[in-house]
Amino acid sequence: MSNQNRTERFMIFDINFNSDIPKYQQLVNAINDALSNSTLSSGDALPSVNSICKDYSLSRDTVFKAYSILKENGVIESVPNKGYYVANDTRKVLLVLDTFKAYKEVLYHSFVNNLPKNVIVDVQFHHYNINNFKTILNNSKGKYYKYVVMTFNNKEVLDVLSDFDNDKLLLIDWNVYSTASNNYVFQDFGKSFYEALETVISAFKKYKKLVFVYPTFTKHPVESVTYFKNFCDTYNFKYKIVTEPAEFKIVKHEAYISVSDRILGMFLEQCRTKNFEPGTDVGFLSYNETPMKQFIYKGISVISTDFQMLGAQAAAFITHDKPLQSYIPTKLLLRESL
């Protein structure tokens, strides 16, 4: 059976004339879906523009616009006097992150390096701005094989995500505004954080007070602060919460936990000024591992999820058509700073 006949036999488009989705976009979505479920594969011929117009009562402009979008995205190619063909098995994936910090770079490289060569990743950043988030997601509908999205705490996020097929959508990092039917790979900012603190109780006991520095500018989930308080109450540690960076003044025999690398810089600067030795006079526990923290000042203790594992599991969602709901463990790496 020729490629043309094989395609004609199996390609059935479901065009809803009452839908709010433009008809050209429905056609784009249908062809992308056919690629994702292997109804179409590399080299297959697509129905001609004229045949689609006739079979589905669509205008030439509508069909041509759909094919043009697919061609621009590298999904199909045209051969003069022969028609349109599936270009190759290339899949385009959209990765939406909040910002591109050092630990996000670890996640990104793990994600990309665990994908096959025929998967192309587009990366965009919403910077915790709901208008950016809406624009990125709304403009990407139907243009990608799958979507990997890092959400944030805004009540409009759920409405935006509700327009996407759960089979093609993976939420990562923070469990906020997800539903029971969503695919996800999350880290736990609460119980898992608490349990990681329990592994270094003996190190904390060197200090008279534990101080959680949670700056007002941070986007880190506040549940970590709640679980920190519970931890201190349970194990009888004196503690303090500092929210204003200007009020961050290190004191001898205190240990500091911070979700911001800016605060880490301030801590090290004050240690130098006051001639304090990290890990002896004062302690520091930083949130989120980065490649350099093991080398900074004999090593900075870190509490962090495994971003390489997070990236690898997200990549597995792209390459396997299976549901995924997973939490990546949070661990504490004890180094000289504590």
Side-chain angles (χ1 to χ4, degrees):
M1 182 180 293
S2 69
N3 281 344
Q4 180 68 48
N5 290 336
R6 193 179 86 85
T7 304
E8 292 286 359
R9 179 180 175 183
F10 290 104
M11 280 307 301
I12 299 175
F13 303 123
D14 183 14
I15 305 297
N16 182 354
F17 285 81
N18 296 319
S19 173
D20 291 333
I21 302 174
K23 291 185 285 293
Y24 75 85
Q25 189 61 59
Q26 291 186 53
L27 186 54
V28 169
N29 296 349
I31 293 174
N32 281 329
D33 287 343
L35 286 167
S36 67
N37 62 30
S38 299
T39 301
L40 280 176
S41 59
S42 178
D44 282 346
L46 293 173
S48 69
V49 172
N50 288 338
S51 67
I52 294 180
C53 291
K54 179 181 178 181
D55 292 343
Y56 296 94
S57 300
L58 297 174
S59 70
R60 286 183 59 83
D61 287 344
T62 295
V63 180
F64 186 75
K65 184 172 184 179
Y67 276 10
S68 296
I69 291 172
L70 291 165
K71 186 176 178 181
E72 180 181 344
N73 290 340
V75 176
I76 66 174
E77 59 187 9
S78 60
V79 178
N81 301 318
K82 290 188 177 182
Y84 293 89
Y85 294 80
V86 177
N88 48 51
D89 289 326
T90 298
R91 301 287 188 267
K92 291 188 69 176
V93 172
L94 178 63
L95 175 64
V96 181
L97 301 176
D98 45 21
T99 57
F100 202 64
K101 296 180 180 179
Y103 60 93
K104 303 288 174 55
E105 186 173 3
V106 174
L107 185 161
Y108 169 77
H109 285 296
S110 176
F111 178 64
V112 171
N113 291 338
N114 280 283
L115 291 172
K117 292 182 179 180
N118 68 325
V119 176
I120 299 172
V121 180
D122 287 346
V123 185
Q124 297 204 47
F125 304 93
H126 58 67
H127 299 286
Y128 303 99
N129 182 298
I130 191 59
N131 290 325
N132 289 345
F133 188 80
K134 288 180 180 179
T135 298
I136 292 169
L137 271 299
N138 290 336
N139 288 345
S140 72
K141 290 177 185 176
K143 296 182 180 179
Y144 292 90
Y145 173 56
K146 288 185 179 179
Y147 303 79
V148 179
V149 180
M150 187 175 289
T151 60
F152 62 108
N153 191 8
N154 187 292
K155 62 184 180 181
E156 296 183 61
V157 164
L158 185 58
D159 289 337
V160 177
L161 296 177
S162 65
D163 288 337
F164 287 81
D165 184 346
N166 279 329
D167 292 340
K168 294 182 175 295
L169 176 66
L170 178 72
L171 307 183
I172 61 171
D173 195 45
W174 184 13
N175 184 5
V176 58
Y177 297 114
S178 66
T179 68
S181 59
N182 283 134
N183 294 289
Y184 59 77
V185 181
F186 291 142
Q187 59 171 310
D188 182 3
F189 295 94
K191 181 181 178 182
S192 189
F193 169 67
Y194 180 101
E195 292 172 347
L197 295 179
E198 288 183 310
T199 65
V200 292
I201 288 176
S202 59
F204 284 142
K205 286 184 176 179
K206 296 190 298 182
Y207 305 98
K208 295 180 179 179
K209 183 186 289 186
L210 305 184
V211 181
F212 198 125
V213 187
Y214 185 81
T216 52
F217 58 74
T218 187
K219 300 296 184 181
H220 188 93
V222 72
E223 64 183 303
S224 293
V225 177
T226 301
Y227 276 83
F228 167 77
K229 292 178 180 178
N230 292 341
F231 169 80
C232 291
D233 289 338
T234 300
Y235 293 99
N236 298 314
F237 285 107
K238 292 182 179 179
Y239 68 89
K240 180 181 179 181
I241 310 298
V242 174
T243 57
E244 293 300 329
E247 298 175 4
F248 176 61
K249 309 295 181 184
I250 65 173
V251 177
K252 199 170 186 178
H253 304 310
E254 292 185 353
Y256 302 89
I257 301 174
S258 179
V259 298
S260 168
D261 286 347
R262 284 192 239 174
I263 299 300
L264 171 59
M266 294 171 64
F267 169 82
L268 293 173
E269 183 177 4
Q270 291 187 37
C271 283
R272 182 175 59 186
T273 301
K274 298 183 178 183
N275 199 29
F276 287 170
E277 181 69 20
T280 302
D281 300 314
V282 287
F284 199 91
L285 177 61
S286 180
Y287 219 107
N288 293 321
E289 173 72 314
T290 64
M292 291 304 298
K293 285 182 181 176
Q294 61 179 311
F295 304 112
I296 297 174
Y297 206 95
K298 301 179 183 179
I300 301 299
S301 295
V302 170
I303 189 166
S304 179
T305 196
D306 187 334
F307 289 102
Q308 286 189 336
M309 185 185 297
L310 198 159
Q313 289 201 13
F317 173 78
I318 302 302
T319 56
H320 301 91
D321 290 322
K322 297 179 181 179
L324 176 60
Q325 294 185 333
S326 173
Y327 271 87
I328 305 298
T330 295
K331 295 183 179 180
L332 196 150
L333 304 175
L334 185 62
R335 298 177 179 138
E336 293 297 319
S337 69
L338 198 60

